[in-house]
Amino acid sequence: MHRFRTPSALLAAVALLGCQSRKEEKPAAPPAPATAPRAEAAPAPPPKPAPPAEAQPELSYLKPTEDGEHCEWMRQPLKGTATRVFRFKAWCDRSTVSWSPDGGQGLVFTWPSGEGEVPQAWRVEVDAKSGQPLDLKSLPGGTSAGNPNEPYVSRVAFDAQGRPVAIVLLASEAKGPITFQGESFPVPKGQGVPGLAMAYRLVDGDWKRIEAKATRFEEDTPSEHGLLDAEATLTPTWVASPPTRLPGAKAAPALAKELDAQEPGAAGAGWWMELPGPGGTLYFRARREGPQLVLSQPLLWARGDQRVSLKDLTPPDAYLGFQLDQGLLLVTSYGGFAAATVWDPKTQQRVVSIPDVYAPALWPVPRTP
């Protein structure tokens, strides 16, 4: 062997070391990028709340108790069971009902009809179904039975701010100005009985006179015709007696002839009236019986060229009253035929009929600000 020849084992070791050295000199590979965190799924949006159920029409009415000693103010869904709002000791057929603008309160008023009786009123919390008497004693006529030549309380209702207001009337035999509580009120010339119409507002427990006007009373109740400016601010009042003011307008002569031809038995005393309503027009007869206005059958509902007879809604001889509201027609029968009947112009069907009730009205929808 040549003395300078490196042994094969040594060469192999050197070669191996060289390879390892070159491997160590090679830069290390960069680390693998970190795995991005897994995005979590966004939570599902909450389900949309169901739209509020549409309010169903309701009926208000006064109903005598079985013993006849009390009257109950009732609230009844047209498709449901009636509940009592308030009970008071008075006659239903001499009582009225009105609501505050927001519908949260009611006023029940009863007028006297003879000696020993006085006007009464109650302020009712509708949701709580409870009420408290209103003190009318400090009002002119607040302790009167409605005697001639004395002031009498004819109406109690809410104004636009929800404050009770009383309308007081005084008929007088004075030949000149009317003197009342030290004040003189000149009476306008004309026909009718001289009189004084006054409005009082309840403020901090006291009745304050806010308006007074001399007038002449004729056959109609002055408060029905708005002699006082204050009356224009009052909420509607529903009365147990027949209306003293005609709703709608007198039908034109040509139309009246057509209606007479359709209802031959209607010709005679009185005249045809028309009252526009939801999707149509109500036609009815009107006449005078002494000082009283009478609204009566025949009843017709016209939609386009079609006229439908509503003779089955009421007895033929009943004195009637009407309310068109919330897409419905309420027909009130008075006196011995006392009843409330609701008719739907859309379906042309009777919805409900309730006998022996007074001062009915469709329960008002609260006024939004």
Side-chain angles (χ1 to χ4, degrees), residues 6-358:
T6 306
S8 57
L10 179 60
L11 292 174
V14 172
L16 179 60
L17 289 174
C19 290
Q20 290 179 346
S21 175
R22 285 192 295 270
K23 287 182 181 179
E24 290 174 358
E25 293 173 0
K26 186 177 180 180
T35 304
R38 187 175 181 180
E40 296 183 3
K48 294 183 179 180
E54 185 178 352
Q56 296 299 314
E58 298 176 291
L59 200 60
S60 161
Y61 54 83
L62 301 176
K63 190 172 183 64
T65 56
E66 292 185 2
D67 59 11
E69 295 293 326
H70 294 81
C71 181
E72 294 183 331
W73 182 17
M74 307 298 291
R75 181 176 188 173
Q76 178 173 339
L78 297 188
K79 298 180 180 179
T81 304
T83 58
R84 186 177 71 197
V85 179
F86 183 63
R87 172 187 280 198
F88 55 101
K89 189 174 178 60
W91 298 100
C92 289
D93 60 359
R94 295 203 306 269
S95 299
T96 71
V97 173
S98 60
W99 284 265
S100 60
D102 63 3
Q105 293 186 328
L107 276 177
V108 176
F109 171 68
T110 298
W111 64 86
S113 65
E115 290 296 331
E117 297 186 8
V118 296
Q120 301 178 81
W122 295 265
R123 192 171 189 167
V124 180
E125 296 292 337
V126 172
D127 291 338
K129 296 182 173 61
S130 63
Q132 296 296 326
L134 278 182
D135 189 353
L136 305 180
K137 295 184 180 65
S138 61
L139 279 172
T143 59
S144 170
N147 300 320
N149 299 315
E150 291 183 0
Y152 69 94
V153 183
S154 70
R155 180 184 178 189
V156 179
F158 287 104
D159 66 9
Q161 285 72 45
R163 299 168 296 190
V165 172
I167 304 299
V168 178
L169 305 178
L170 170 64
S172 173
E173 296 178 349
K175 301 300 182 182
I178 297 175
T179 301
F180 182 75
Q181 294 182 341
E183 295 183 62
S184 180
F185 298 89
V187 179
K189 295 181 179 180
Q191 296 182 347
V193 178
L196 192 63
M198 297 169 284
Y200 290 78
R201 179 185 295 137
L202 187 63
V203 180
D204 297 330
D206 294 325
W207 292 99
K208 307 290 186 182
R209 195 175 78 193
I210 57 175
E211 189 179 0
K213 185 179 294 184
T215 185
R216 287 188 177 272
F217 299 156
E218 298 186 35
E219 294 176 339
D220 298 325
T221 303
S223 62
E224 291 286 345
H225 289 266
L227 287 178
L228 299 172
D229 295 336
E231 292 180 82
T233 71
L234 302 185
T235 57
T237 300
W238 303 99
V239 188
S241 56
T244 59
R245 189 177 184 181
L246 284 174
K250 190 174 182 179
L255 176 58
K257 288 183 179 180
E258 293 182 18
L259 298 173
D260 284 340
Q262 184 170 348
E263 296 287 342
W271 59 92
W272 283 102
M273 296 288 296
E274 56 181 335
L275 179 62
T281 302
L282 176 69
Y283 296 103
F284 60 93
R285 294 288 291 183
R287 67 182 186 275
R288 280 198 177 275
E289 292 185 357
Q292 186 171 12
L293 280 171
V294 177
L295 286 55
S296 66
Q297 288 273 12
L299 301 181
L300 296 171
W301 180 263
R303 185 169 59 183
D305 296 332
Q306 181 187 19
R307 295 194 191 109
V308 179
S309 173
L310 306 183
K311 64 181 180 180
D312 295 333
L313 289 188
T314 70
D317 299 328
Y319 291 10
L320 304 177
F322 311 109
Q323 182 189 3
L324 286 161
D325 193 15
Q326 303 175 47
L328 299 168
L329 168 64
L330 168 62
V331 181
T332 300
S333 302
Y334 296 96
F337 302 105
T341 301
V342 178
W343 187 77
D344 189 342
K346 292 181 180 178
T347 63
Q348 298 192 0
Q349 297 291 324
R350 182 200 308 254
V351 180
V352 68
S353 186
I354 307 173
D356 303 320
V357 298
Y358 299 88

